[in-house]
PDB file of all heavy atoms in Angstrom:
ATOM      1  N   HIS Z 222     277.818 152.483 129.572  1.00  0.00           N
ATOM      2  CA  HIS Z 222     277.816 152.080 128.179  1.00  0.00           C
ATOM      3  C   HIS Z 222     279.143 151.550 127.710  1.00  0.00           C
ATOM      4  O   HIS Z 222     280.149 151.781 128.320  1.00  0.00           O
ATOM      5  CB  HIS Z 222     277.464 153.300 127.273  1.00  0.00           C
ATOM      6  CG  HIS Z 222     276.142 153.837 127.449  1.00  0.00           C
ATOM      7  ND1 HIS Z 222     275.867 154.952 128.176  1.00  0.00           N
ATOM      8  CD2 HIS Z 222     274.977 153.426 126.952  1.00  0.00           C
ATOM      9  CE1 HIS Z 222     274.616 155.223 128.173  1.00  0.00           C
ATOM     10  NE2 HIS Z 222     274.000 154.299 127.429  1.00  0.00           N
ATOM     11  N   GLU Z 223     279.101 150.868 126.552  1.00  0.00           N
ATOM     12  CA  GLU Z 223     280.329 150.670 125.798  1.00  0.00           C
ATOM     13  C   GLU Z 223     280.817 152.015 125.406  1.00  0.00           C
ATOM     14  O   GLU Z 223     279.998 152.922 125.084  1.00  0.00           O
ATOM     15  CB  GLU Z 223     280.045 149.864 124.517  1.00  0.00           C
ATOM     16  CG  GLU Z 223     279.503 148.489 124.777  1.00  0.00           C
ATOM     17  CD  GLU Z 223     280.653 147.471 124.802  1.00  0.00           C
ATOM     18  OE1 GLU Z 223     281.471 147.525 125.778  1.00  0.00           O
ATOM     19  OE2 GLU Z 223     280.662 146.635 123.943  1.00  0.00           O
ATOM     20  N   SER Z 224     282.081 152.248 125.354  1.00  0.00           N
ATOM     21  CA  SER Z 224     282.571 153.540 124.958  1.00  0.00           C
ATOM     22  C   SER Z 224     283.879 153.446 124.185  1.00  0.00           C
ATOM     23  O   SER Z 224     284.791 152.758 124.542  1.00  0.00           O
ATOM     24  CB  SER Z 224     282.817 154.366 126.272  1.00  0.00           C
ATOM     25  OG  SER Z 224     283.481 155.555 125.953  1.00  0.00           O
ATOM     26  N   GLU Z 225     283.862 154.126 123.097  1.00  0.00           N
ATOM     27  CA  GLU Z 225     285.006 154.161 122.181  1.00  0.00           C
ATOM     28  C   GLU Z 225     286.321 154.440 122.940  1.00  0.00           C
ATOM     29  O   GLU Z 225     286.492 155.465 123.585  1.00  0.00           O
ATOM     30  CB  GLU Z 225     284.784 155.325 121.180  1.00  0.00           C
ATOM     31  CG  GLU Z 225     285.722 155.348 120.040  1.00  0.00           C
ATOM     32  CD  GLU Z 225     285.458 154.232 119.012  1.00  0.00           C
ATOM     33  OE1 GLU Z 225     284.281 153.904 118.821  1.00  0.00           O
ATOM     34  OE2 GLU Z 225     286.429 153.697 118.465  1.00  0.00           O
ATOM     35  N   GLY Z 226     287.217 153.505 122.890  1.00  0.00           N
ATOM     36  CA  GLY Z 226     288.553 153.760 123.424  1.00  0.00           C
ATOM     37  C   GLY Z 226     288.631 153.638 124.916  1.00  0.00           C
ATOM     38  O   GLY Z 226     289.742 153.734 125.480  1.00  0.00           O
ATOM     39  N   LEU Z 227     287.533 153.383 125.576  1.00  0.00           N
ATOM     40  CA  LEU Z 227     287.586 153.161 127.033  1.00  0.00           C
ATOM     41  C   LEU Z 227     287.191 151.759 127.358  1.00  0.00           C
ATOM     42  O   LEU Z 227     286.244 151.225 126.746  1.00  0.00           O
ATOM     43  CB  LEU Z 227     286.660 154.122 127.749  1.00  0.00           C
ATOM     44  CG  LEU Z 227     287.206 155.514 128.083  1.00  0.00           C
ATOM     45  CD1 LEU Z 227     286.196 156.259 128.909  1.00  0.00           C
ATOM     46  CD2 LEU Z 227     288.510 155.372 128.891  1.00  0.00           C
ATOM     47  N   SER Z 228     287.865 151.129 128.310  1.00  0.00           N
ATOM     48  CA  SER Z 228     287.486 149.752 128.625  1.00  0.00           C
ATOM     49  C   SER Z 228     286.226 149.796 129.462  1.00  0.00           C
ATOM     50  O   SER Z 228     285.833 150.793 130.005  1.00  0.00           O
ATOM     51  CB  SER Z 228     288.610 149.129 129.462  1.00  0.00           C
ATOM     52  OG  SER Z 228     288.666 149.722 130.734  1.00  0.00           O
ATOM     53  N   GLN Z 229     285.568 148.652 129.568  1.00  0.00           N
ATOM     54  CA  GLN Z 229     284.323 148.574 130.327  1.00  0.00           C
ATOM     55  C   GLN Z 229     284.581 148.912 131.798  1.00  0.00           C
ATOM     56  O   GLN Z 229     283.779 149.622 132.407  1.00  0.00           O
ATOM     57  CB  GLN Z 229     283.770 147.157 130.243  1.00  0.00           C
ATOM     58  CG  GLN Z 229     283.352 146.775 128.820  1.00  0.00           C
ATOM     59  CD  GLN Z 229     282.704 145.402 128.770  1.00  0.00           C
ATOM     60  OE1 GLN Z 229     282.105 144.978 129.746  1.00  0.00           O
ATOM     61  NE2 GLN Z 229     282.786 144.736 127.602  1.00  0.00           N
ATOM     62  N   ARG Z 230     285.701 148.506 132.286  1.00  0.00           N
ATOM     63  CA  ARG Z 230     285.915 148.757 133.741  1.00  0.00           C
ATOM     64  C   ARG Z 230     286.217 150.234 133.905  1.00  0.00           C
ATOM     65  O   ARG Z 230     285.805 150.802 134.946  1.00  0.00           O
ATOM     66  CB  ARG Z 230     286.932 147.897 134.356  1.00  0.00           C
ATOM     67  CG  ARG Z 230     288.301 147.753 133.680  1.00  0.00           C
ATOM     68  CD  ARG Z 230     289.167 146.747 134.391  1.00  0.00           C
ATOM     69  NE  ARG Z 230     288.935 145.387 133.933  1.00  0.00           N
ATOM     70  CZ  ARG Z 230     289.701 144.357 134.332  1.00  0.00           C
ATOM     71  NH1 ARG Z 230     290.652 144.532 135.217  1.00  0.00           N
ATOM     72  NH2 ARG Z 230     289.440 143.173 133.885  1.00  0.00           N
ATOM     73  N   ALA Z 231     286.875 150.880 132.980  1.00  0.00           N
ATOM     74  CA  ALA Z 231     287.180 152.274 133.083  1.00  0.00           C
ATOM     75  C   ALA Z 231     285.890 153.070 133.058  1.00  0.00           C
ATOM     76  O   ALA Z 231     285.713 154.009 133.872  1.00  0.00           O
ATOM     77  CB  ALA Z 231     288.120 152.706 131.948  1.00  0.00           C
ATOM     78  N   VAL Z 232     285.017 152.726 132.138  1.00  0.00           N
ATOM     79  CA  VAL Z 232     283.718 153.454 132.066  1.00  0.00           C
ATOM     80  C   VAL Z 232     282.915 153.266 133.378  1.00  0.00           C
ATOM     81  O   VAL Z 232     282.366 154.194 133.935  1.00  0.00           O
ATOM     82  CB  VAL Z 232     282.896 152.912 130.906  1.00  0.00           C
ATOM     83  CG1 VAL Z 232     281.482 153.548 130.939  1.00  0.00           C
ATOM     84  CG2 VAL Z 232     283.539 153.236 129.577  1.00  0.00           C
ATOM     85  N   ALA Z 233     282.897 152.030 133.884  1.00  0.00           N
ATOM     86  CA  ALA Z 233     282.145 151.747 135.109  1.00  0.00           C
ATOM     87  C   ALA Z 233     282.738 152.550 136.252  1.00  0.00           C
ATOM     88  O   ALA Z 233     282.058 153.130 137.065  1.00  0.00           O
ATOM     89  CB  ALA Z 233     282.140 150.257 135.378  1.00  0.00           C
ATOM     90  N   GLN Z 235     284.351 155.296 136.285  1.00  0.00           N
ATOM     91  CA  GLN Z 235     284.014 156.731 136.187  1.00  0.00           C
ATOM     92  C   GLN Z 235     282.512 156.934 136.448  1.00  0.00           C
ATOM     93  O   GLN Z 235     282.155 157.854 137.224  1.00  0.00           O
ATOM     94  CB  GLN Z 235     284.403 157.177 134.796  1.00  0.00           C
ATOM     95  CG  GLN Z 235     284.625 158.602 134.641  1.00  0.00           C
ATOM     96  CD  GLN Z 235     285.112 158.876 133.193  1.00  0.00           C
ATOM     97  OE1 GLN Z 235     286.178 158.368 132.759  1.00  0.00           O
ATOM     98  NE2 GLN Z 235     284.303 159.597 132.429  1.00  0.00           N
ATOM     99  N   THR Z 236     281.728 156.148 135.806  1.00  0.00           N
ATOM    100  CA  THR Z 236     280.292 156.377 135.890  1.00  0.00           C
ATOM    101  C   THR Z 236     279.807 156.199 137.335  1.00  0.00           C
ATOM    102  O   THR Z 236     278.984 156.983 137.824  1.00  0.00           O
ATOM    103  CB  THR Z 236     279.528 155.352 134.979  1.00  0.00           C
ATOM    104  OG1 THR Z 236     280.133 155.411 133.674  1.00  0.00           O
ATOM    105  CG2 THR Z 236     278.065 155.711 134.905  1.00  0.00           C
ATOM    106  N   ARG Z 257     282.469 145.377 134.906  1.00  0.00           N
ATOM    107  CA  ARG Z 257     281.835 146.512 135.559  1.00  0.00           C
ATOM    108  C   ARG Z 257     281.909 146.384 137.075  1.00  0.00           C
ATOM    109  O   ARG Z 257     281.997 147.403 137.757  1.00  0.00           O
ATOM    110  CB  ARG Z 257     280.391 146.656 135.092  1.00  0.00           C
ATOM    111  CG  ARG Z 257     280.322 147.191 133.687  1.00  0.00           C
ATOM    112  CD  ARG Z 257     278.879 147.233 133.133  1.00  0.00           C
ATOM    113  NE  ARG Z 257     278.901 147.955 131.840  1.00  0.00           N
ATOM    114  CZ  ARG Z 257     279.320 147.403 130.674  1.00  0.00           C
ATOM    115  NH1 ARG Z 257     279.794 146.162 130.653  1.00  0.00           N
ATOM    116  NH2 ARG Z 257     279.332 148.107 129.568  1.00  0.00           N
TER     117      ARG Z 257
ATOM    118  N   GLU R 285     295.673 145.335 131.631  1.00  0.00           N
ATOM    119  CA  GLU R 285     294.759 146.254 132.287  1.00  0.00           C
ATOM    120  C   GLU R 285     294.532 145.894 133.781  1.00  0.00           C
ATOM    121  O   GLU R 285     294.493 146.777 134.659  1.00  0.00           O
ATOM    122  CB  GLU R 285     293.422 146.340 131.574  1.00  0.00           C
ATOM    123  CG  GLU R 285     292.590 147.530 131.973  1.00  0.00           C
ATOM    124  CD  GLU R 285     291.172 147.471 131.376  1.00  0.00           C
ATOM    125  OE1 GLU R 285     290.856 146.445 130.749  1.00  0.00           O
ATOM    126  OE2 GLU R 285     290.403 148.444 131.570  1.00  0.00           O
ATOM    127  N   TYR R 289     294.049 147.678 138.351  1.00  0.00           N
ATOM    128  CA  TYR R 289     292.796 147.659 139.151  1.00  0.00           C
ATOM    129  C   TYR R 289     292.933 146.875 140.447  1.00  0.00           C
ATOM    130  O   TYR R 289     291.960 146.857 141.208  1.00  0.00           O
ATOM    131  CB  TYR R 289     291.643 147.076 138.263  1.00  0.00           C
ATOM    132  CG  TYR R 289     291.094 148.144 137.343  1.00  0.00           C
ATOM    133  CD1 TYR R 289     291.698 148.397 136.144  1.00  0.00           C
ATOM    134  CD2 TYR R 289     290.015 148.898 137.713  1.00  0.00           C
ATOM    135  CE1 TYR R 289     291.194 149.411 135.302  1.00  0.00           C
ATOM    136  CE2 TYR R 289     289.511 149.891 136.898  1.00  0.00           C
ATOM    137  CZ  TYR R 289     290.121 150.160 135.715  1.00  0.00           C
ATOM    138  OH  TYR R 289     289.622 151.137 134.933  1.00  0.00           O
TER     139      TYR R 289
END
Side-chain angles (χ1 to χ4, degrees):
Chain Z
H222 294 101
E223 297 268 66
S224 170
E225 189 74 35
L227 273 185
S228 70
Q229 297 185 26
R230 50 184 88 174
V232 174
Q235 203 176 297
T236 310
R257 286 175 173 76
Chain R
E285 196 188 6
Y289 279 84

